[in-house]
Amino acid sequence: PGAKVTLHVSVIATPARRELRDATRSTWCMSAAQAVAESSGQLAITIEFVVGGGSYDGVDQLQEEAAQYGDMYLVPGLADGVQSVIAKVVASAVRAHASPAAPPTHWLRTDDDTWVNIEGLAQELLKGVIEPRGGDSDAAVVLGPTDPFVWSLFCKLGPTQWGVSFPTGFATVISAFLLRVVAEAAGGMGSPGKAMRLDTGESEGNAEARGGEAAEANVQRKQGAAGGLVKDVWLEDDLWFGLLLHTIKHQQVHDRRFHDYPTRHLNPSPLSNHSLVVHRVQNLSEMMALEARQFAELNHAAITEHARASGSGGHGDDEGMGSQLGTAGVPGAISVQIDDRVVWVDPPAADVHGSDSARSLWCAGYGLFDSANCELLASVFE
């Protein structure tokens, strides 16, 4: 009570990933407690892991873990899985907004394979000034106490997908007013226990019964995406979030200090003191090293791992995107320094996807949103 910033953190967790929950508890959860203790009453932080609390294998162990630590929210009646992510996000927003003391001033939704520089994030919220990097402008964003805003790494869908900008699902900070909007979206959710809708419009059971390679590929593709049914329409969770907030006036703060681990997935960036959120952390060792700010060592290890995987025909990450993520140490890769950032580009790999895709990869994948830099790289590498 009386804190200038009250931050509720909902960690959308996967039941089987106990190691990552324990890694979070022993790293940035501890840092959060220290930041609160040193804030002279100006900061309050609550962190909860959110999992399904319905009937499924392993829920008994989750209940025991929740009783041991007191930092878990088991959503009643919800069977956990990729199809229940939106339901978990909404349930956690409802819970945060209905806080017995008062709704928090800010809400952070993140994933359990994510390291958060909680002190750095909290300090910018306390100052009311966000200093983003990698957007159209790196100018500081000054926020009033009641200004509605979304702070994240933003992506934009193509014209076939409504052209909506949406915050990436692994970490998004929103203000109190928008938290209320998300919480009130609970009334628009369908039953979280229903089977996923496939692109064909068939039920999953019908698709499996029909058989055939196309049906199998369709099921696998949808099972690989996290999201849920909203009024019987399947949406991925980050797209749903963007659509939900699209018609509401708010400030979008695009910040590439929210990024994937180097060489992993779609939005990698070298680790540095600027990193606020790092996604796709794989184990306790990496989480501990991030908390210790051992960025140079981790960058080198990621480069070495990716080079080894690329050299043996592998991809270097779980989404098969390794060949598109140019990295120093990979044959043919080029390292370009722009201001204080080192950009890794792998022209031979990018060229496989065509010059347009390569241009998009260089500009979007590495935060080179300045048009002059994009044109320079494009002219050199084409």
Side-chain angles (χ1 to χ4, degrees):
K4 180 180 178 181
V5 168
T6 54
L7 175 64
H8 187 104
V9 182
S10 297
V11 182
I12 308 302
T14 300
R17 299 205 287 209
R18 170 68 184 268
E19 180 189 10
L20 288 176
R21 291 193 293 278
D22 287 342
T24 299
R25 290 181 177 115
S26 62
T27 54
W28 59 271
C29 281
M30 301 292 288
S31 295
Q34 183 176 351
V36 169
E38 295 174 352
S39 71
S40 302
Q42 294 296 296
L43 176 65
I45 301 176
T46 301
I47 301 174
E48 279 189 324
F49 298 94
V50 183
V51 295
S55 177
Y56 60 95
D57 291 342
V59 73
D60 292 343
Q61 289 89 339
L62 290 171
Q63 291 169 344
E64 293 174 3
E65 182 184 348
Q68 177 182 358
Y69 290 101
D71 61 0
M72 299 183 70
Y73 176 40
L74 277 63
V75 182
L78 182 65
D80 208 295
V82 293
Q83 79 283 356
S84 62
V85 173
I86 292 179
K88 289 195 288 187
V89 172
V90 172
S92 59
V94 170
R95 182 173 171 86
H97 184 66
S99 170
T105 59
H106 303 86
W107 180 55
L108 167 62
R109 168 261 162 105
T110 189
D111 290 341
D112 57 1
D113 59 346
T114 301
W115 173 77
V116 180
N117 178 352
I118 196 74
E119 312 102 298
L121 190 145
Q123 283 303 313
E124 295 196 21
L125 292 176
L126 281 169
K127 289 190 301 181
V129 179
I130 298 175
E131 301 179 0
R133 294 170 62 88
D136 293 327
S137 171
D138 286 344
V141 178
V142 180
L143 299 167
T146 61
D147 288 349
F149 71 92
V150 179
W151 180 17
S152 185
L153 174 70
F154 279 84
C155 298
K156 187 171 183 179
L157 297 175
T160 59
Q161 298 283 348
W162 310 295
V164 175
S165 295
F166 62 97
T168 50
F170 64 81
T172 301
V173 180
I174 64 176
S175 53
F177 172 74
L178 296 180
L179 172 60
R180 189 183 79 185
V181 171
V182 178
E184 290 177 350
M189 292 291 296
S191 169
K194 296 181 68 173
M196 294 182 293
R197 177 187 292 273
L198 304 180
D199 287 350
T200 60
E202 296 178 292
S203 69
E204 186 170 342
N206 287 343
E208 290 175 344
R210 184 168 59 83
E213 294 182 2
E216 181 179 350
N218 196 14
V219 171
Q220 291 175 345
R221 188 174 69 81
K222 296 305 292 184
Q223 287 179 337
L229 287 168
V230 180
K231 290 190 178 294
D232 293 335
V233 177
W234 170 265
L235 291 174
E236 294 185 24
D237 58 301
D238 42 11
L239 170 57
W240 166 81
F241 206 89
L243 289 171
L244 177 65
L245 300 179
H246 183 60
T247 60
I248 301 169
K249 184 177 180 181
H250 65 276
Q251 173 88 26
Q252 289 187 351
V253 184
H254 171 69
D255 197 343
R256 289 202 63 86
R257 293 179 298 171
F258 295 53
H259 61 83
D260 288 318
Y261 200 91
T263 77
R264 294 176 190 166
H265 204 53
L266 301 177
N267 297 289
S269 186
L271 303 166
S272 74
N273 288 322
H274 296 295
S275 300
L276 280 182
V277 177
V278 178
H279 184 220
R280 298 190 178 269
V281 181
Q282 293 182 341
N283 51 50
L284 172 63
S285 175
E286 289 180 353
M287 195 79 80
M288 296 288 287
L290 283 164
E291 189 67 14
R293 309 304 196 267
Q294 296 173 353
F295 299 132
E297 294 88 339
L298 290 172
N299 284 330
H300 183 267
I303 293 169
T304 303
E305 174 190 352
H306 181 72
R308 185 184 301 115
S310 298
S312 62
H315 290 298
D317 66 271
D318 60 359
E319 294 292 330
M321 293 296 297
S323 62
Q324 297 182 40
L325 303 178
T327 311
V330 179
I334 299 174
S335 173
V336 180
Q337 182 168 343
I338 298 176
D339 296 330
D340 62 340
R341 287 198 60 193
V342 175
V343 182
W344 301 331
V345 182
D346 188 356
D351 189 57
V352 172
H353 305 278
S355 61
D356 289 341
S357 294
R359 185 192 301 263
S360 174
L361 176 70
W362 295 327
C363 295
Y366 298 95
L368 303 175
F369 291 91
D370 178 88
S371 59
N373 285 336
C374 284
E375 290 303 317
L376 173 62
L377 285 179
S379 65
V380 170
F381 294 133
E382 283 180 356

